[in-house]
Amino acid sequence: MLAFAPAALLFVFFCASVREDRRRFRNAVLLGLTFISLAMALLFQLTHLPDTLARIVAVAVFLVPAVGVVALACFLVANGVTMVRKEGRSPGNLLSLLAGLAIFAVLALAVVAMASGSTKVAGMTAMVIMIAVYVSFLFVCFLAYAYLYGRIRVRGDVDYVVMLGSGLICGDRVPPLLASRLRKGMRIYVAQCARGGTAPLLLPSGGKGSNEKVAEARAMADWLIAEGVPADHVVLENRSRTTEENLTFSRTIMEEGKADYRCVVVTNNFHAFRAAMMARKVGVNGQVLGSPTAAYFWPSATIREFVAVFVEHKGVNLTVCGTLFAFGVLLTLLAG
């Protein structure tokens, strides 16, 4: 049973970290390390398991991930084609397609390395695979924990419901993506009022872009009022240009209204975890909830969020990738 001790210890650290603050990226990494340690422990126990159970464990640890990688690559390429067809060829819309092609490229490189028999090619391939595995590990951690974070429920009343802007159509109209956030915020507002709590203030957040006729917050407020929210229950934050400014300026408004405020922040589900990390960074006292997003839009948007998180932690990530690159070069030189 000692083989399971690292997994148990990592799980304890994960639970303690989540209890301290749900909005940390380290929670995602600890969760991933817990599952890897558990898989390794199960492999160590194979010789002690009945044959049927041992085969099931071996398939789960080796075959399922291998098949999953190919299936994921196929899905991402298909989704990328759908994104281009429905949303156009902007760089952000190409992310799922590029990610799928990158997976196929790494698999093809591995096949070529095995077929060539060249130790130098094998060394360089090992370097690429190690970096790909590291990035993939972080992505899976991000994906799994973002899913768990999206399942949280905020208990008790809140003083504010902050709704993050996402751009307007024709300069003054709320698009479907933003309307999804506003509906989520309205449901929180209505539910709190229905259970007899004090009506929270709805705080739409977003400034006026260069191609917009009005501030996003103004268009969002008009949408909410048209849906039946009393105008005096809506407070605007209309200066921000980025998510960080959304949260920073909204925090100032909330603190001025009530020093010990409690809030929830609403965005789309693909953006919720990164927005939560940013909310923690700027000192917002509240969790982030996600609203539904069109299924075809979700993969590319999630990859974009991961890339942003990866860049935000570029110090440690570049150090690890650089170390793996140097190790790969060393293997290639030794092979020569």
Side-chain angles (χ1 to χ4, degrees):
M1 297 302 291
L2 285 177
F4 293 94
L9 186 60
L10 284 167
F11 184 69
V12 170
F13 287 153
F14 166 73
C15 292
S17 184
V18 169
R19 182 178 177 83
E20 180 184 347
D21 197 324
R22 297 172 179 172
R23 303 171 295 177
R24 292 178 179 272
F25 186 67
R26 77 179 184 194
N27 299 343
V29 176
L30 286 171
L31 180 63
L33 291 174
T34 298
F35 278 103
I36 288 178
S37 297
L38 180 60
M40 295 299 295
L42 288 172
L43 288 178
F44 281 124
Q45 297 301 310
L46 281 182
T47 56
H48 304 293
L49 298 175
D51 290 344
T52 301
L53 184 56
R55 281 193 289 270
I56 292 174
V57 170
V59 167
V61 173
F62 293 111
L63 185 58
V64 170
V67 173
V69 167
V70 177
L72 176 62
C74 293
F75 168 77
L76 289 173
V77 169
N79 176 258
V81 173
T82 300
M83 277 293 292
V84 170
R85 190 174 68 249
K86 292 189 175 184
E87 301 288 338
R89 297 183 181 180
S90 69
N93 294 338
L94 293 173
L95 284 176
S96 60
L97 176 62
L98 294 175
L101 293 176
I103 293 173
F104 279 126
V106 172
L107 294 176
L109 182 61
V111 172
V112 169
M114 288 187 292
S116 70
S118 169
T119 53
K120 288 186 177 181
V121 173
M124 294 304 295
T125 301
M127 174 195 70
V128 173
I129 291 176
M130 286 187 295
I131 293 175
V133 167
Y134 172 71
V135 175
S136 299
F137 167 72
L138 290 182
F139 179 69
V140 171
C141 291
F142 173 82
L143 199 63
Y145 188 73
Y147 175 81
L148 291 178
Y149 185 86
R151 308 276 79 75
I152 68 170
R153 295 291 180 269
V154 177
R155 298 180 180 179
D157 290 351
V158 296
D159 303 296
Y160 294 91
V161 179
V162 180
M163 290 158 286
L164 305 183
S166 66
L168 303 174
I169 295 176
C170 301
D172 60 357
R173 285 167 39 210
V174 171
L177 191 75
L178 184 51
S180 173
R181 302 181 184 187
L182 298 176
R183 290 191 189 95
K184 177 77 172 182
M186 274 192 64
R187 285 197 293 272
I188 297 169
Y189 170 87
V190 170
Q192 184 163 314
C193 292
R195 64 173 178 261
T198 302
L201 293 176
L202 299 183
L203 204 167
S205 176
K208 181 177 179 295
S210 58
N211 60 342
E212 293 174 338
K213 301 174 185 177
V214 297
E216 290 177 27
R218 180 69 267 166
M220 294 160 72
D222 291 343
W223 190 98
L224 291 166
I225 293 168
E227 291 292 316
V229 177
D232 59 345
H233 288 183
V234 181
V235 179
L236 277 65
E237 183 289 296
N238 56 11
R239 296 186 296 143
S240 56
R241 296 290 187 274
T242 65
T243 299
E244 185 167 353
E245 288 185 354
N246 285 149
L247 294 166
T248 300
F249 297 157
S250 295
R251 185 200 67 198
T252 300
I253 291 173
M254 291 186 288
E255 287 176 341
E256 290 174 352
K258 185 178 181 181
D260 59 345
Y261 74 91
R262 185 167 179 259
C263 77
V264 292
V265 179
V266 178
T267 185
N268 287 90
N269 50 16
F270 64 82
H271 186 231
F273 182 39
R274 187 165 78 92
M277 289 189 286
M278 198 166 294
R280 176 182 176 275
K281 174 184 174 183
V282 303
V284 171
N285 180 27
Q287 300 296 333
V288 180
L289 303 182
S291 64
T293 306
Y296 78 87
F297 191 85
W298 183 84
S300 283
T302 301
I303 293 172
R304 184 172 64 245
E305 294 300 307
F306 169 72
V307 170
V309 171
F310 189 90
V311 171
E312 287 168 7
H313 296 82
K314 58 181 176 292
V316 63
N317 288 325
L318 290 178
T319 298
V320 173
C321 290
T323 301
L324 294 175
F325 178 83
F327 183 67
V329 171
L330 179 61
L331 286 178
T332 304
L333 293 175
L334 292 175

